[in-house]
Amino acid sequence: MAASSAGSDAPDSFGESVFVNCPFDAKYLDLLRPILFTVIYFGHRPRIASESSDSGENRLSKISGLISACRYSIHDISRLKAKKPDEFARMNMPFELGIDFGTRLHGPAHASEKKFLVLEEKAHDFKIALSDLSGIDVKPHSNEPVDVCWAVRDWYYETVGIDNSWPEEHHWASTVWSKFNEFVASLFEVRSQAGLSDSEATKAVEKMPMAEFIDRATEWIEADRDPAA
């Protein structure tokens, strides 16, 4: 893992935290979970707006706080384009990407170290609506879970850094994807062994809060990496 050189003014865990800016609807869940798992797999902590649900907390203040607390960010702007007539495009993601850029450019000294991954459904689509981002490396995911997993893994290899003490095959994209599927299967297996029916186990896993998913993924990855621990 690339060591953080964040200054003394950086918040605790700044160098190990990744802000994930993406849709939180049910249709996006198949992409969100591989993103979160891959971030955890490479030793970082994903931070998302839905990690807690304090109804009294202002959402924009919460998001600004998360952006300030994270050295790394993943922004998916694939909902920038409406899919059908009279449908409004989703502007929250590009808005939050703008806040993150502004923080890097005009925030405290440590914020200049911030690094981003921008995801899109199809390469170059974003340039039609966000031409200011021309020249930025954007990775397409084609709305495929395996592709988004590979995109995040490649970003770690290219930009964030990967622990060179690992055997090479441990950070292959195919390995990360395989581990993600093993983890998801384990979620169903645990619930089936506890006596839940297939439909009950499926519902429990699908409705699992993001904070719980992150906790279970963290535990599973630690146990998989060091079974004797």
Side-chain angles (χ1 to χ4, degrees):
M1 188 71 59
S4 170
S5 57
S8 59
D9 62 334
D12 293 342
S13 304
F14 177 73
E16 292 75 40
S17 300
V18 181
F19 173 60
V20 180
N21 170 28
C22 64
F24 292 118
D25 54 62
K27 290 182 179 178
Y28 194 81
L29 191 61
D30 287 344
L31 298 180
L32 175 58
R33 287 183 166 179
I35 292 174
L36 299 177
F37 181 88
T38 305
V39 168
I40 299 167
Y41 186 86
F42 286 111
H44 281 156
R45 179 189 177 195
R47 303 294 308 275
I48 57 176
S50 61
E51 67 185 24
S52 62
S53 54
D54 179 0
S55 299
E57 187 176 16
N58 177 276
R59 180 176 174 82
L60 186 55
S61 296
K62 180 179 182 179
I63 289 169
S64 296
L66 290 174
I67 288 173
S68 297
C70 298
R71 181 181 185 190
Y72 304 101
S73 299
I74 297 173
H75 301 272
D76 189 335
I77 57 173
S78 58
R79 299 287 180 83
L80 192 60
K81 182 179 180 181
K83 299 294 185 184
K84 55 187 178 182
D86 298 327
E87 182 183 46
F88 288 99
R90 300 286 296 277
M91 290 295 142
N92 285 340
M93 279 64 75
F95 178 66
E96 293 168 23
L97 171 60
I99 294 175
D100 212 356
F101 264 109
T103 301
R104 184 166 77 173
L105 292 173
H106 306 293
H110 69 268
S112 64
E113 298 184 356
K114 292 172 74 66
K115 296 183 182 299
F116 307 145
L117 167 64
V118 180
L119 297 168
E120 170 62 296
E121 179 182 352
K122 298 177 182 177
H124 311 304
D125 267 7
F126 71 96
K127 294 179 182 177
I128 300 172
L130 270 176
S131 59
D132 284 352
L133 285 183
S134 296
I136 301 268
D137 182 26
V138 175
K139 293 188 181 300
H141 56 57
S142 305
N143 280 331
E144 293 292 338
V146 63
D147 289 348
V148 82
C149 177
W150 280 52
V152 176
R153 177 269 173 196
D154 289 352
W155 176 61
Y156 267 89
Y157 190 90
E158 297 163 350
T159 304
V160 180
I162 289 176
D163 189 343
N164 290 326
S165 66
W166 286 8
E168 181 183 351
E169 63 271 22
H170 283 209
H171 54 71
W172 288 346
S174 58
T175 301
V176 182
W177 176 243
S178 176
K179 291 293 184 183
F180 169 73
N181 284 289
E182 287 180 37
F183 164 63
V184 173
S186 77
L187 295 176
F188 288 99
E189 184 178 352
V190 166
R191 283 152 184 78
S192 295
Q193 290 176 347
L196 269 63
S197 66
D198 288 349
S199 61
E200 290 171 333
T202 298
K203 183 177 181 180
V205 172
E206 288 180 349
K207 298 292 186 182
M208 179 181 289
M210 281 303 111
E212 185 178 2
F213 178 87
I214 291 170
D215 288 344
R216 297 292 85 77
T218 302
E219 294 168 356
W220 188 91
I221 290 169
E222 290 175 351
D224 182 68
R225 195 155 295 160
D226 187 7

